Amino acid sequence: MTHRAATRPVRIGVQIAPQHGSYAQIRDTLNEVEELGADIAFNWDHFFPLSGDREGLHFESWTMLAAWAEQTSRIEIGALVNCNSYRNADLQADMARTIDHISARGGDGGRFIFGTGSGWFERDYAEYGYDFGTVGSRLDALAESLPRIEARWARLNPAPTRDIPVLIGGAGEKKTLRLVARHADIWHSFSSPSTLEHKLGVLAGWCEREQRDPAEIEVSVELRHRTIADADAMHALGATLFTVGITGPHYELGPVRDWLAWRDEKNAG
């Protein structure tokens, strides 16, 4: 199996990069993104800007997500993605459960998505005193953490309001995609259409080994530098969650509007 037709509705995520803007700008941008009808608002889990002035303004992910949970009422929220290395696994589970409850409205369940990955930005590790290790050791740590997180969710009182969706970012074929097959509800990558087709074949192989139906896993891709033709091609392969990134200091929403119109056209068809 190398590809599959999309069976889920198309969703648009907006990654509001927590860099180069004031928190007031981020708060206002989140309001606008929710009002425009985006499905998910993401930030990222870093301590310094990833582009532009590397000493520029920047804010921390998890505390921001708790504020977003209280501020919003409809949109789902999460990090794209949390860095597993920065926090104890059981603490991550408890933080996620708490944000899940903060985000719940009335009798509805929470809106938190637990996006996670093994980490990669060495400056974060060096300046905050974490052991950078190797790509392999960080992936091994993520593999150890995910069962602990799931087990802690089962023991917490109160329990999460819903089965918190797990999003795993990355496309490594030997370890990451196996973790996706074993644990993820959503798989996120930066793949091109041709690469995505190949990776989906690898993921299907891991799903077979893990006795998992690959159709259970939502396929998520980035829209940065992608054309409508690219997005159409990835949708034809099975991608249904498409994320557009915006960054400070101006947080331009034009691309968000354009991709939301594309989403609506896809879902209407």
Side-chain angles (χ1 to χ4, degrees), residues 177-192:
L177 290 179
R178 184 172 191 174
L179 292 177
V180 170
R182 186 173 293 172
H183 298 283
D185 301 287
I186 307 169
W187 167 53
H188 180 82
S189 77
F190 294 84
S191 299
S192 66

Side-chain angles (χ1 to χ4, degrees), residues 231-267:
D232 287 342
M234 291 188 288
H235 181 251
L237 290 168
T240 55
L241 176 54
F242 296 81
T243 298
V244 56
I246 56 176
T247 186
H250 302 300
Y251 294 107
E252 297 290 343
L253 292 174
V256 176
R257 293 185 178 92
D258 292 342
W259 285 112
L260 287 171
W262 175 83
R263 174 202 67 184
D264 293 345
E265 181 179 335
K266 283 290 182 189
N267 288 339

Side-chain angles (χ1 to χ4, degrees), residues 142-207:
L142 179 62
E144 293 171 4
S145 292
L146 285 165
R148 286 177 55 189
I149 290 165
E150 293 164 352
R152 180 59 58 183
W153 282 337
R155 295 197 298 271
L156 286 169
N157 185 16
T161 68
R162 64 172 181 168
D163 290 334
I164 296 174
V166 174
L167 178 156
I168 296 177
E173 297 182 9
K174 294 182 178 179
K175 293 185 177 182
T176 303
L177 290 179
R178 184 172 191 174
L179 292 177
V180 170
R182 186 173 293 172
H183 298 283
D185 301 287
I186 307 169
W187 167 53
H188 180 82
S189 77
F190 294 84
S191 299
S192 66
S194 60
T195 300
L196 181 64
E197 183 169 21
H198 168 73
K199 298 291 184 179
L200 285 171
V202 176
L203 178 58
W206 282 120
C207 284

Side-chain angles (χ1 to χ4, degrees), residues 44-57:
W44 65 39
D45 188 21
H46 295 289
F47 305 129
F48 301 95
L50 298 184
S51 63
D53 179 5
R54 297 308 170 100
E55 304 302 325
L57 301 176

Side-chain angles (χ1 to χ4, degrees), residues 30-252:
L30 176 62
N31 280 337
E32 292 183 79
V33 165
E34 184 171 41
E35 288 172 7
L36 285 171
D39 298 285
I40 306 170
F42 292 111
N43 62 14
W44 65 39
D45 188 21
H46 295 289
F47 305 129
F48 301 95
L50 298 184
S51 63
D53 179 5
R54 297 308 170 100
E55 304 302 325
L57 301 176
H58 199 278
F59 292 95
E60 193 274 330
S61 172
W62 280 85
T63 46
M64 181 183 296
L65 290 171
W68 285 11
E70 192 64 65
Q71 176 185 339
T72 57
S73 61
R74 182 199 59 79
I75 198 168
E76 289 190 286
I77 57 173
L80 195 65
V81 289
N82 165 67
C83 177
N84 177 68
S85 305
Y86 301 161
R87 301 162 194 89
N88 168 278
D90 293 85
L91 174 62
Q92 292 178 54
D94 204 338
M95 292 164 70
R97 181 280 311 258
T98 299
I99 295 176
D100 167 69
H101 276 264
I102 294 170
S103 69
R105 294 291 180 272
D108 296 331
R111 295 173 287 115
F112 182 72
I113 294 172
F114 181 67
T116 195
S118 59
W120 63 273
F121 189 39
E122 189 169 5
R123 184 184 180 188
D124 285 347
Y125 289 80
E127 296 220 25
Y128 278 59
Y130 298 111
D131 179 21
F132 188 56
T134 65
V135 172
S137 68
R138 295 193 299 276
L139 280 166
D140 290 343
L142 179 62
E144 293 171 4
S145 292
L146 285 165
R148 286 177 55 189
I149 290 165
E150 293 164 352
R152 180 59 58 183
W153 282 337
R155 295 197 298 271
L156 286 169
N157 185 16
T161 68
R162 64 172 181 168
D163 290 334
I164 296 174
V166 174
L167 178 156
I168 296 177
E173 297 182 9
K174 294 182 178 179
K175 293 185 177 182
T176 303
L177 290 179
R178 184 172 191 174
L179 292 177
V180 170
R182 186 173 293 172
H183 298 283
D185 301 287
I186 307 169
W187 167 53
H188 180 82
S189 77
F190 294 84
S191 299
S192 66
S194 60
T195 300
L196 181 64
E197 183 169 21
H198 168 73
K199 298 291 184 179
L200 285 171
V202 176
L203 178 58
W206 282 120
C207 284
E208 184 176 2
R209 292 178 179 86
E210 296 291 330
Q211 298 184 324
R212 181 95 186 272
D213 180 356
E216 296 175 0
I217 302 169
E218 185 172 16
V219 177
S220 170
V221 292
E222 284 282 329
L223 288 171
R224 188 176 306 159
H225 308 308
R226 301 294 180 206
T227 65
I228 288 176
D230 291 333
D232 287 342
M234 291 188 288
H235 181 251
L237 290 168
T240 55
L241 176 54
F242 296 81
T243 298
V244 56
I246 56 176
T247 186
H250 302 300
Y251 294 107
E252 297 290 343

